[in-house]
Amino acid sequence: MKSNNKLKIFNDPIYGFITIPNSLIFDLVQHKYFQRLRRITQMGLSYLVYPGAHHTRFHHALGSMHLMQKTINVLRFKGVAISKEEENGLLIAILLHDIGHGPFSHAMEHSIVNDISHEEISLQFMENLNEEFNGSLTLAISIFKGEYSRKFMCQLISSQLDMDRADYLKRDSFYTGVAEGNINSERLITMLNVVNDELVVEEKGIYSVEKFLVARRFMYWQVYLHKTGIVAEQLLTRILKRAKELVQQGEQLHCSEPLNHFLTSEVNYNSFDSNTLEIFAKLDDYDIVAAMKSWRNHTDFVLSNLCEMIIDRDLLKIKIKNKPIKTIDLEIHNKALVDKYNISKEQADFFVFSGEITNLAYQSKKQHINIQLKSGKIKDIVKASDQLNLKALSKPVTKYYMCYPKKKM
């Protein structure tokens, strides 16, 4: 029997109590699509670096919704008209903004699903739910797609200073223990306002915005682009690619039915129909971990070794440089592996590879964080701030990495 009391409270380690504002949102949280987020880690394999980083997309979605509730209250207090329907639309859009993430967050997008991003899958989930809930998500979908007439609402969902970032920086900082990322989201929200239908930050909030951008840069270098995390994610992507190759060659791999579907089918944007969505909704981190535990005993040299590396956390070596990796360096490591294990160059490529990582804390060319000065004038944060390094934060920094096996594999 379902309980009739739908005004529930969640106890969150960061914000304290988070309230569910109405029965529609309660029903969405209860839905199997949303409950699946409990089984998808927010930070992929980062727990191999930061042991506390086991929090999930479920945590993050509720936290983002909580911050949106606070923002709506602040803006209404400052005289910004937000109707009950718009409030609901904003809360639903931010609650479901990450619902399309696959296992371990990003690894799926680069291996067994082609040309379809998690945002596009999120939209498909929302459209399915909209049918199920008799059109009550129509406004939320319009805001999520950035099509709603009131621009600031779309900015609250996706911009340089949205509720998604305001939650994940604080949350990821808390669970990793990396204090540099701990932003004051409460103060940032209190300083928000709307001018000409665009989101602005009042001048007295300028230091909070500076801290937010610097924290974002720290978190990218120290956490999201941590070299061990990069290796682990690359290995996971390669495991799924290798598994797909083997299955297409007629090999039978032991794994769950949903994972098997994505290994045996060519899934892309055009073939991602409602049936595919239902199978995708059954896929989570547990399918991948169980598969890796099974595949580590497989006869295929590549698959078994890659799985063992992640399961036992005995990863590849990684070197990060400021200049692109020379082909000759890769060839030396590749040849050594070919000779040592009598494998093909293509097999060795799974263990020897290069790539690049880019850190851009503030995309000033795409969108602006606008500061409203006391005079009423609006200025971009880079021009309004006396922090010289903000200019540097709006330039991308690219580094190059090379991965190869340790001496003993």
Side-chain angles (χ1 to χ4, degrees):
M1 283 290 288
K2 283 200 171 174
S3 139
N4 290 324
N5 174 20
K6 295 185 174 182
L7 299 177
K8 296 284 184 196
I9 301 174
F10 286 94
N11 195 349
D12 184 73
I14 294 167
Y15 310 119
F17 293 114
I18 293 177
T19 54
I20 300 292
N22 57 53
S23 60
L24 171 61
I25 287 175
F26 175 85
D27 289 337
L28 287 169
V29 169
Q30 282 290 82
H31 197 280
K32 62 181 180 182
Y33 290 167
F34 191 79
Q35 288 293 320
R36 164 184 165 271
L37 297 181
R38 289 183 186 270
R39 302 185 300 280
I40 292 184
T41 51
Q42 170 72 11
M43 292 176 62
L45 288 160
S46 291
Y47 60 79
L48 294 175
V49 184
Y50 297 101
H54 274 287
H55 56 303
T56 65
R57 293 264 159 202
F58 184 86
H59 272 115
H60 163 60
L62 288 173
S64 302
M65 185 193 73
H66 173 72
L67 293 182
M68 186 67 85
Q69 286 174 300
K70 285 196 169 302
T71 303
I72 290 165
N73 291 339
V74 164
L75 293 178
R76 276 184 176 153
F77 181 73
K78 292 178 184 178
V80 180
I82 298 172
S83 70
K84 199 76 194 141
E85 289 73 30
E86 287 171 330
E87 175 183 5
N88 239 6
L90 282 166
L91 293 176
I92 292 167
I94 198 70
L95 182 75
L96 304 179
H97 76 280
D98 268 350
I99 199 166
H101 266 290
F104 292 106
S105 296
H106 294 284
M108 285 280 293
E109 286 174 67
H110 307 297
S111 51
I112 55 178
V113 175
N114 298 316
D115 305 324
I116 183 161
S117 66
H118 68 267
E119 290 91 353
E120 288 165 326
I121 300 174
S122 292
L123 188 57
Q124 289 214 22
F125 273 124
M126 287 165 86
E127 282 166 350
N128 253 30
L129 287 164
N130 198 28
E131 276 183 38
E132 199 175 316
F133 287 88
N134 305 319
S136 48
L137 278 74
T138 305
L139 181 56
I141 289 170
S142 171
I143 295 171
F144 178 79
K145 287 163 83 172
E147 291 172 354
Y148 190 56
S149 56
R150 303 188 75 185
K151 191 179 174 188
F152 79 90
M153 294 195 177
C154 304
Q155 289 174 314
L156 287 171
I157 304 296
S158 178
S159 68
Q160 297 279 298
L161 193 59
D162 55 34
M163 294 306 108
D164 172 33
R165 291 179 187 194
D167 180 79
Y168 79 62
L169 282 176
K170 197 171 177 65
R171 188 169 299 279
D172 295 349
S173 156
F174 176 87
Y175 281 99
T176 54
V178 175
E180 289 86 350
N182 187 11
I183 57 163
N184 190 344
S185 44
E186 304 270 325
R187 180 167 169 79
L188 265 174
I189 286 168
T190 309
M191 297 297 143
L192 290 176
N193 207 341
V194 175
V195 175
N196 299 331
D197 215 39
E198 294 219 16
L199 212 54
V200 298
V201 180
E202 291 165 4
E203 187 175 356
K204 57 190 176 210
I206 200 164
Y207 301 120
S208 300
V209 177
E210 287 173 2
K211 169 84 166 53
F212 168 81
L213 291 174
V214 171
R216 190 168 143 77
R217 180 178 182 274
F218 270 128
M219 286 296 283
Y220 267 85
W221 281 138
Q222 238 176 306
V223 179
Y224 309 128
L225 298 175
H226 188 287
K227 60 181 193 170
T228 309
I230 289 166
V231 176
E233 186 159 317
Q234 284 294 329
L235 286 174
L236 183 54
T237 303
R238 282 165 163 71
I239 284 169
L240 294 171
K241 274 188 177 163
R242 184 58 174 172
K244 190 156 186 152
E245 273 179 22
L246 291 172
V247 165
Q248 285 171 349
Q249 288 164 18
E251 285 267 356
Q252 283 231 309
L253 290 184
H254 184 263
C255 64
S256 69
E257 279 180 35
L259 180 55
N260 190 53
H261 174 83
F262 284 93
L263 292 178
T264 51
S265 314
E266 206 47 64
V267 178
N268 55 36
Y269 182 77
N270 294 326
S271 66
F272 207 102
D273 55 16
S274 54
N275 180 46
T276 311
L277 190 74
E278 279 305 317
I279 301 167
F280 185 85
K282 294 184 176 127
L283 200 60
D284 55 53
D285 290 6
Y286 297 2
D287 297 79
I288 308 294
V289 173
M292 287 192 294
K293 286 173 75 177
S294 168
W295 297 344
R296 68 185 295 185
N297 301 315
H298 197 272
T299 52
D300 181 68
F301 178 88
V302 174
L303 189 65
S304 59
N305 276 292
L306 290 175
C307 290
E308 197 148 285
M309 283 176 179
I310 290 189
I311 297 289
D312 296 342
R313 199 198 176 279
D314 187 7
L315 308 170
L316 295 171
K317 208 169 171 51
I318 179 168
K319 277 196 177 157
I320 295 191
K321 299 186 174 183
N322 293 323
K323 289 181 180 170
I325 306 298
K326 291 179 184 150
T327 314
I328 185 78
D329 293 341
L330 289 168
E331 284 171 356
I332 289 167
H333 287 291
N334 191 296
K335 187 173 182 324
L337 207 56
V338 168
D339 293 347
K340 187 173 179 183
Y341 293 103
N342 194 22
I343 56 175
S344 68
K345 183 192 176 299
E346 288 70 33
Q347 286 175 306
D349 283 342
F350 278 93
F351 304 95
V352 180
F353 51 87
S354 61
E356 59 181 63
I357 46 176
T358 301
N359 189 351
L360 179 59
Y362 178 48
Q363 291 175 297
S364 56
K365 288 192 175 78
K366 274 193 176 175
Q367 304 159 319
H368 299 282
I369 295 178
N370 286 324
I371 304 295
Q372 182 185 27
L373 305 178
K374 288 192 178 75
S375 64
K377 207 174 164 195
I378 307 287
K379 267 190 174 180
D380 181 87
I381 178 70
V382 174
K383 293 199 171 93
S385 166
D386 57 8
Q387 259 287 59
L388 292 171
N389 69 358
L390 280 199
K391 206 165 196 171
L393 287 183
S394 58
K395 290 194 175 82
V397 178
T398 302
K399 292 185 181 180
Y400 304 88
Y401 65 85
M402 173 170 82
C403 298
Y404 55 92
K406 297 168 185 168
K407 285 208 165 62
K408 180 179 170 291
M409 195 169 95

